[in-house]
Amino acid sequence: MEEGIAIRAENICKSFGEGDSYIEVIKNASFTIHKGELIALIAPSGGGKTTLLMMIGCVEEPSSGKIWLGDKQVFADKWLTRETRKIRREKIGFIFQAHYLIPFLNIIDNLTLLPQANKTDDKTARAKARELLKYFDIAEKEKAMPSQLSGGQNQRVAIARALVNEPQIILADEPTAALDMQRSVDVVKMLKQIALEQKVAIIMVTHDERMLPYCDRIMKIEDKTTIFEEQQLQKNSTHSD
Amino acid sequence: MYTKEQQRAVLTEYVVEKASKQIGMFTAILVIVATIIISLIIYTMTLEKMKEISIMKLMGIPNSMIVRMIVEETLLLGILAFLFGNLFSHLIYSRFPKRVVLEIPDAWMLFAVVVVASIAASFVGVKKVISADPAAAIGG
Ligand SMILES: Nc1ncnc2c1ncn2[C@@H]1O[C@H](COP(=O)(O)OP(=O)(O)OP(=O)(O)O)[C@@H](O)[C@H]1O
Ligand SMILES: [Mg+2]
């Protein structure tokens, strides 16, 4: 397998329901995403973006196909491990439209939850969490509760949380939808920087065309399958399919 | 035939035994009711947290950690209830129509019962956690 590949999907299909309620959402989607790339995923509402993201994230089980994360195959018409949750906590960071921080835990405890699950020792976990909070300019809020932070601050904490387990892949479902234009651009630039610095592959669902210039490639879902849109603007996009 | 002394002894024993059984039954019923109430509170508190629980599952947090959170919460609730109950009874017991004695070993016994009952009560919450769907976290 080629070096530097973060995600590979081969002919993944997904349908829901049976009989009258049967719908096919994704059909024969195949793609390769490299480490360090920020991919924008676009499709109309109901186009299957979240479904695709959740399949890559080992949350939703595809109907058929093959998926590799890094050099490890995780899906071949069925999960190749019983512990998909372990893959998620070790390899994947999730970011959503809402921050979804745990409201009864303070900021630092929210951040150390995943390292704790990964059996990282407490001191290391806290140090890592503090480093991230500092990076995102919210170091002084570590003892605050999520309800005491602004929307933008909470979203930054949520991004920090997605990074704290040093994932190889970040899946972001409309991370900027709740933010204003300036903050959205900040977040997307931040994601691009993270992708480059930490060699993480990031797939970001977005409805906002103004965010596209900051992404390396644009993946579209058309006729239930994924295609990459050619983008000339990019300077540092070295990959092509 | 009993002597007078023996009769007295038998009678007091009988009365005391009956009374203590009575109180024991009351205690048992109160503990059962308290357990049910705590279960219901934990159940609703867990229901309110289903979204967060789904998110935790989605992130990959193992059930064991989530369940521990819930059991801890229940225990806290049980222990708080025990402390308040004890404090309250110590404040008002001198006003009871009949003299009662509050004994420390009894309190410890009750404490043990509270801990066991709280853990039993958290079972409903725990069952709910195990069945939470991680995919539900992002839907709607
Ligand atoms: N659990 C499910 N059961 C049945 N149908 C589902 C389920 N999840 C998603 N779908 C259907 O799959 C299709 C794609 O849904 P999905 O959430 O992936 O769309 P989306 O592109 O993320 O849309 P949006 O932009 O509105 O978030 C929709 O038609 C939806 O109704
Ligand atoms: Mg969606």
Side-chain angles (χ1 to χ4, degrees), chain A:
Chain A
M1 188 133 186
E2 189 192 325
E3 257 308 285
I5 289 180
I7 306 164
R8 192 149 77 89
E10 227 178 76
N11 295 319
I12 48 177
C13 303
K14 179 69 185 174
S15 54
F16 289 105
E18 274 167 38
D20 284 346
S21 63
Y22 177 88
I23 54 162
E24 193 173 40
V25 181
I26 302 287
K27 191 177 173 185
N28 290 328
S30 302
F31 51 87
T32 303
I33 291 166
H34 303 83
K35 293 175 182 166
E37 275 191 302
L38 172 60
I39 305 286
L41 175 59
I42 57 175
S45 184
K49 303 180 293 293
T50 302
T51 306
L52 182 65
L53 225 50
M54 289 303 118
M55 289 194 288
I56 298 167
C58 304
V59 179
E60 193 84 68
E61 185 170 3
S63 307
S64 64
K66 296 190 176 84
I67 300 176
W68 288 260
L69 299 182
D71 48 17
K72 197 169 166 232
Q73 186 168 16
V74 294
F75 190 84
D77 296 326
K78 63 177 172 46
W79 296 120
L80 299 177
T81 163
R82 280 178 56 226
E83 270 280 325
T84 50
R85 223 186 276 192
K86 188 160 183 286
I87 303 177
R88 298 205 289 272
R89 68 171 169 263
E90 287 175 356
K91 296 197 171 183
I92 302 171
F94 291 93
I95 307 170
F96 307 96
Q97 180 172 348
H99 59 77
Y100 291 145
L101 296 173
I102 309 302
F104 47 90
L105 296 178
N106 68 23
I107 298 304
I108 191 107
D109 288 345
N110 258 291
L111 289 190
T112 52
L113 209 56
L114 254 190
Q116 216 180 320
N118 280 329
K119 308 217 160 40
T120 311
D121 74 277
D122 208 46
K123 230 172 139 185
T124 319
R126 279 180 178 264
K128 177 80 191 166
R130 293 217 170 91
E131 179 194 318
L132 283 166
L133 287 177
K134 211 163 153 192
Y135 180 85
F136 288 111
D137 208 18
I138 25 179
E140 74 284 7
K141 300 284 187 192
E142 68 166 70
K143 289 273 185 289
M145 300 306 276
S147 59
Q148 295 168 313
L149 268 60
S150 72
Q153 287 172 327
N154 271 329
Q155 192 62 333
R156 276 181 281 160
V157 177
I159 297 173
R161 177 174 69 174
L163 287 170
V164 77
N165 58 340
E166 298 178 347
Q168 300 159 12
I169 297 161
I170 292 178
L171 303 173
D173 200 347
E174 302 188 46
T176 64
L179 304 176
D180 61 45
M181 174 64 188
Q182 190 49 49
R183 278 186 199 290
S184 299
V185 171
D186 287 348
V187 164
V188 177
K189 278 183 175 168
M190 218 179 267
L191 289 176
K192 178 59 211 166
Q193 194 177 343
I194 290 160
L196 277 178
E197 284 177 3
Q198 322 214 359
K199 293 274 154 265
V200 186
I202 306 183
I203 305 183
M204 176 183 74
V205 172
T206 183
H207 280 296
D208 192 342
E209 288 189 357
R210 294 170 298 184
M211 301 305 138
L212 301 183
Y214 302 97
C215 301
D216 295 314
R217 287 192 293 163
I218 298 169
M219 185 156 84
K220 274 184 171 173
I221 303 175
E222 252 179 41
D223 299 325
K224 299 171 189 171
T225 195
T226 51
I227 52 165
F228 284 100
E229 184 170 90
E230 292 308 321
Q231 201 181 11
Q232 285 85 23
L233 303 165
Q234 272 308 309
K235 40 220 169 286
N236 51 10
S237 173
T238 49
H239 306 292
S240 55
D241 264 49

